[in-house]
Amino acid sequence: GPVLDLAMNLAACAFGASMLSLPFVLDISGALVGMFMVVSLGLVAVLASSSIMHAGFRFRKSSYTKIVGEAFGKRASGFSEVLLCACLFVAAVSYVVGLADLLPDMIGFTGGLSRTMRIFILYAGLWPITWVGSLSAFGPSSIFACIGCYVQAIALVAGAIFSDIDVPGPELLFKFNPAGIALSMPMVTFTHAYHYVLTDTFLELKNPSKVRLMNTVWTTGITLTTCYSIVAIIGYLLYGGRNVPSNVLTGLGNGSPVIGIATWSIGLLLFATYSLFIIPLRRRLEEIFFGAQTKKLNRDRILAASVIGALVIMVSILLRDLYLANTVAGGCIAIVTFVIPGLFDAYCWREFKDDRNLATLARSVLLLCAGCIAGFIGLFGSILPLKA
């Protein structure tokens, strides 16, 4: 597939409702330090992608788990497989739950239906899309979804232009809250997380040279960070830098065009990109039960998609509060996104003579530090005595 289509697939996997919490990050961390975290973790995510690609070329492997297995053995490969599947599954569940909550604001009459019925209706529309064989087929819809996120950002800018903004003073702009920074790291990491579908997406790239791969990753990183920066800054200013809610749309006024545009943008994004999480899961299930991935639409492919869909529906119905799930998911994603790529660099630095340079070592240390901090706080954040 073309570089742009695949970059949009990766960006669409990272985009989601979590971006609406970025203004809250600036509030609890400090405006300048919060923006630094949003931008710097985006750069770290690109570096982590580079580490994954470098290890893949080193070991001549095109699968994330096979790269792990080549470097650290079968047990580590199995652990990474479970971790990747957990990340994909939790992300898919959060999309369905998010859509179920958004649906009444998008289509009025669905507000009279039970939450369970809304989930079944949604999945009736989502299920056939999960039968698609190639991730590259979602390139056009992913581009549309990414454009939708920018439309949402523009809507916030329009809201700021026509609002009486109380510009925050220096005490808010230069605020530095270590606890807020720590609590924000897993969530900001989540907004830049596309690494669990990275190798699956790259398999769709024709002539996957290092240059084309890096062009894809940089396009993804710039697309994400630009949109996040707009949403974070404008959303923060709309509240004057004080008491920003975890969802920036809360408190902007019912019936506001900004809320309408933002709601539809996020809703369409979730619907259009849900299958980007299910298809890699379905492929893994096909390999486990059928010995190989299906080459065309058949009973095996539909059965695998149906099994995953049934599990997603079950968990989505039971899971009403995503806070704990998102916290744990953030920790898992930090391991996949930062820790394991950092270990790849450490392994290459030790085993390959031409990788024994300061750049490889520094990248390894940076990824391991970022991943361990975000992972620990994400996995244990609900019990840490931190106050933002």
Side-chain angles (χ1 to χ4, degrees):
V3 167
L4 181 61
D5 284 356
L6 298 182
M8 293 304 101
N9 277 349
L10 294 175
C13 286
F15 276 137
S18 58
M19 67 189 290
L20 298 177
S21 296
L22 291 175
F24 177 68
V25 169
L26 270 61
D27 184 19
I28 66 174
S29 304
L32 294 180
V33 71
M35 272 309 305
F36 175 78
M37 182 162 50
V38 170
V39 175
S40 61
L41 284 178
L43 178 59
V44 174
V46 171
L47 293 176
S49 301
S50 177
S51 298
I52 295 170
M53 289 185 293
H54 180 71
F57 279 103
R58 272 293 186 197
F59 302 129
R60 299 183 184 278
K61 301 292 182 182
S62 57
S63 162
Y64 192 103
T65 55
K66 288 181 180 178
I67 298 172
V68 173
E70 188 72 20
F72 309 115
K74 289 185 177 180
R75 288 186 179 180
S77 178
F79 172 74
S80 68
E81 183 74 42
V82 172
L83 201 58
L84 281 169
C85 289
C87 292
L88 290 166
F89 184 80
V90 172
V93 169
S94 69
Y95 271 40
V96 172
V97 173
L99 276 169
D101 293 339
L102 287 171
L103 199 58
D105 294 326
M106 298 173 67
I107 305 174
F109 78 89
T110 59
L113 303 176
S114 68
R115 180 175 176 276
T116 299
M117 183 58 66
R118 293 200 302 270
I119 288 175
F120 277 108
I121 290 174
L122 280 169
Y123 203 76
L126 291 167
W127 181 49
I129 308 174
T130 63
W131 305 347
V132 175
S134 171
L135 288 172
S136 62
F138 290 90
S141 64
S142 294
I143 292 174
F144 171 77
C146 293
I147 291 173
C149 285
Y150 273 88
V151 170
Q152 172 191 274
I154 293 170
L156 289 176
V157 173
I161 291 174
F162 295 105
S163 299
D164 185 15
I165 293 178
D166 181 16
V167 179
E171 72 280 2
L172 294 176
L173 294 176
F174 294 98
K175 182 173 74 172
F176 183 85
N177 181 6
I181 295 169
L183 288 170
S184 300
M185 276 196 71
M187 197 281 290
V188 178
T189 299
F190 184 82
T191 63
H192 289 290
Y194 48 84
H195 303 70
Y196 40 79
V197 294
L198 188 66
T199 53
D200 292 275
T201 302
F202 281 165
L203 288 174
E204 307 284 352
L205 189 64
K206 296 177 181 178
N207 304 316
S209 65
K210 287 186 177 181
V211 173
R212 298 198 78 205
L213 293 177
M214 284 309 301
N215 285 344
T216 302
V217 169
W218 275 109
T219 302
T220 302
I222 292 171
T223 300
L224 292 172
T225 304
T226 303
C227 188
Y228 291 158
S229 298
I230 296 171
V231 171
I233 294 171
I234 299 301
Y236 178 78
L237 291 176
L238 281 170
Y239 289 88
R242 294 180 177 86
N243 302 317
V244 181
S246 58
N247 181 337
V248 70
L249 299 181
T250 303
L252 292 182
N254 292 329
S256 165
V258 172
I259 291 182
I261 293 172
T263 300
W264 272 94
S265 298
I266 289 293
L268 292 175
L269 165 71
L270 300 180
F271 191 90
T273 58
Y274 167 82
S275 294
L276 295 178
F277 301 103
I278 296 298
I279 290 175
L281 268 177
R282 191 202 71 211
R283 286 172 169 176
R284 286 167 170 80
L285 201 63
E286 290 170 355
E287 290 175 346
I288 292 172
F289 289 101
F290 310 125
Q293 296 178 9
T294 56
K295 301 297 183 183
K296 59 182 180 180
L297 180 62
N298 56 26
R299 184 178 60 185
D300 291 344
R301 178 180 293 181
I302 295 175
L303 178 60
S306 301
V307 169
I308 297 170
L311 292 173
V312 169
I313 289 175
M314 186 185 307
V315 176
S316 299
I317 291 172
L318 295 173
L319 190 60
R320 292 181 177 273
D321 183 1
L322 283 177
Y323 173 76
L324 182 59
N326 285 336
T327 298
V328 175
C332 291
I333 287 170
I335 296 172
V336 171
T337 304
F338 295 152
V339 175
I340 294 178
L343 292 174
F344 286 156
D345 277 339
Y347 181 90
C348 290
W349 185 85
R350 186 187 68 182
E351 297 294 329
F352 300 105
K353 187 176 181 180
D354 52 343
D355 279 331
R356 291 177 189 168
N357 53 65
L358 184 60
T360 302
L361 183 61
R363 187 171 63 183
S364 176
V365 172
L366 176 63
L367 293 175
L368 288 171
C369 288
C372 287
I373 294 171
F376 179 80
I377 295 170
L379 291 171
F380 302 105
S382 60
I383 60 175
L384 288 175
L386 294 175
K387 299 292 183 183

